Amino acid sequence: MRVRPSLAAALVLLTVLVAGAPAAAATRHEPRLTNSGPCPGVTDFTCSELIVPLDRSRRVRGDLTLQVAVAGNTHAPRGTLLFLTGGPGQPGVSFMPTIRQRLAPVLADYRLVMLDQRGTGPNGIDCPKLQAEVGSSDVTPPSPGAVQECADLLGPARHFYTTADTVADLEDLRAALRVPRWTLDGVSYGSFVAIQYGLTHPQRVERMVLDSVVPQRGVPALYREALARSAYVLRTACAEQNCGFDPAADLATVVNRYGNGVDVFNFLVIASIVDPKLTGSAFFPVLPFLHLAAQGETGPLDSAVEALRSDGAPYQAFSSGLHAATFCADVDELPWVTPRAPLSVRERATARVVAKLPATSTWPFPTEVAGAQGIVATCESWPPSRPNAEPPLSRLTMPVLLLAGDRDLSTPLPWAQEQARQTPRGELVVVPGMGHSIQGRNPIGDAAVQRFLLN
């Protein structure tokens, strides 16, 4: 069985299969690539399908079909490089032309491989209401009804979209490619997948690039580091532009006066990705909008916030359903501690944890924003689920390059610094003036990657 874009009919079948499923594992799974042919429009890459079990214990029966793209330079001198996209929710194969261009300086030496991680791409999870409400945002809080509708649509399958399940898929892919070891390159959530794979299968990894790092403990659900980091990003941009006021103080005034902290935080996170120096050249003029709002003229900021409430991303480009299923099993700092906790205790648990946060831990935002932003809001309504499995190791043992932009509010610099402290053979390169997703977008980051992968 395949989990298709329209899941409702398929998951009726899955429910029937669950009822009659054996308690023990069924037939042995033999990883292989099937239905291979030239990738549309990219003739030097082969596109294939990798069939993986939904549940490797086979207590819940069913398979998933993952799309895979593999470059044709089979005998690349430095072997195979698996590039992992982010989210969770972003596909891989459709981004292959972009990544091939961004990594072009190293791809004469490496064979590039990309895949749609489980729950993403054309065969991914489609939760229409959740998708319409949040698109690809981590920060925008969905309605409880949209979250519940998505969980109901997935049914028992919702338990099998953890990062550990994806790690097992990657090991199947490696076996299907018949490569003994490979190099991993992960961006954003893809860096977390790479870390978890390296902690599970260290003997299979030559080296690793982590771009815009999610630390190995997982995304901190309360997002405190990013909230607090906003002051640095705003004040640094102001100093560069001689803005003549304190934008962090303006931000504190605005969100306390108008109670729009979550929306303004989403505004700043997107700004840090699109226009990390906040120049106004590629995004809304952040500093003037905040300053005007602090003086009582809220129209420009309100209009920008409303325009960004949902980016309209379709599930094939970013599955909000997969995002919820994975994060609600994976994230760290859940106020209710475990994904198995009953829904009835979660809202009160969040209130207790937020009440104990020091004001300095989230300033210039009030502490309430930590408990109201999208990660916590989504998972408060997501039904009890199987937690992500801990990997067997606690330290990466291979050479690791960590890249971090000093203006990134999506995966803030403290996360990369935390991971670097836990990585004995790690090298952290902080790229000034850069936000989220560095490779192919910044010469300092690109030079570091080329030196690390080619020398």
Side-chain angles (χ1 to χ4, degrees), residues 160-428:
F160 304 104
Y161 290 96
T162 71
T163 300
D165 293 307
T166 292
V167 165
D169 296 341
L170 300 189
E171 182 59 6
D172 278 359
L173 176 58
R174 184 202 60 77
L177 292 169
R178 299 180 181 178
V179 294
R181 292 165 64 87
W182 52 3
T183 294
L184 271 56
D185 187 335
V187 174
S188 192
Y189 169 73
S191 71
F192 181 68
V193 177
I195 291 169
Q196 297 298 298
Y197 182 91
L199 294 174
T200 306
H201 303 286
Q203 73 282 8
R204 299 301 187 187
V205 182
E206 292 281 359
R207 57 187 55 226
M208 188 181 293
V209 176
L210 306 176
D211 179 345
S212 306
V213 182
V214 174
Q216 65 189 57
R217 65 184 171 107
V219 169
L222 296 174
Y223 237 146
R224 288 178 298 168
E225 296 88 349
L227 291 165
R229 187 77 179 165
S230 299
Y232 169 85
V233 172
L234 290 167
R235 285 171 169 167
T236 304
C238 180
E240 292 169 346
Q241 299 170 36
N242 297 309
C243 78
F245 52 86
D246 183 354
D250 283 348
L251 171 60
T253 296
V254 169
V255 297
N256 281 287
R257 180 184 298 164
Y258 301 109
N260 57 354
V262 172
D263 285 336
V264 174
F265 181 46
N266 186 55
F267 174 64
L268 291 181
V269 169
I270 297 171
S272 81
I273 297 170
V274 178
D275 183 21
K277 290 190 173 184
L278 308 183
T279 63
S281 59
F283 191 68
F284 298 101
V286 171
L287 302 182
F289 279 16
L290 286 174
H291 194 51
L292 287 169
Q295 295 174 320
E297 190 176 340
T298 62
L301 180 62
D302 290 345
S303 296
V305 161
E306 185 60 33
L308 298 171
R309 197 172 298 280
S310 174
D311 56 16
Y315 78 89
Q316 299 95 331
F318 190 102
S319 171
S320 60
L322 184 278
H323 190 270
T326 301
F327 261 179
C328 295
D330 280 17
V331 293
D332 190 48
E333 289 188 350
L334 278 174
W336 47 91
V337 182
T338 171
R340 299 189 192 276
L343 293 177
S344 60
V345 308
R346 296 186 184 185
E347 187 175 348
R348 291 194 302 274
T350 299
R352 284 195 301 271
V353 168
V354 168
K356 294 177 182 178
L357 292 177
T360 54
S361 68
T362 61
W363 192 91
F365 289 94
T367 54
E368 306 90 79
V369 175
Q373 47 76 27
I375 296 175
V376 174
T378 299
C379 296
E380 274 187 353
S381 299
W382 191 259
S385 297
R386 164 179 169 257
N388 188 44
E390 290 288 333
L393 299 183
S394 60
R395 293 287 186 272
L396 293 171
T397 57
M398 65 292 298
V400 179
L401 174 68
L402 303 95
L403 298 176
D406 73 333
R407 315 295 170 89
D408 189 0
L409 294 178
S410 181
T411 54
L413 176 59
W415 293 2
Q417 292 169 328
E418 173 189 325
Q419 186 60 46
R421 289 191 293 269
Q422 300 177 68
T423 306
R425 302 178 69 187
E427 174 193 359
L428 173 60

Side-chain angles (χ1 to χ4, degrees), residues 109-132:
D109 289 79
Y110 289 91
R111 176 176 61 156
L112 177 64
V113 174
M114 297 188 68
L115 88 157
D116 294 344
Q117 297 171 44
R118 61 170 54 205
T120 72
N123 293 339
I125 296 172
D126 180 14
C127 292
K129 189 173 182 180
L130 185 63
Q131 196 72 39

Side-chain angles (χ1 to χ4, degrees), residues 423-450:
T423 306
R425 302 178 69 187
E427 174 193 359
L428 173 60
V429 174
V430 179
V431 182
M434 194 62 195
H436 194 69
S437 184
I438 293 167
Q439 293 173 87
R441 303 176 63 214
N442 181 278
I444 295 173
D446 290 344
V449 170
Q450 292 166 34

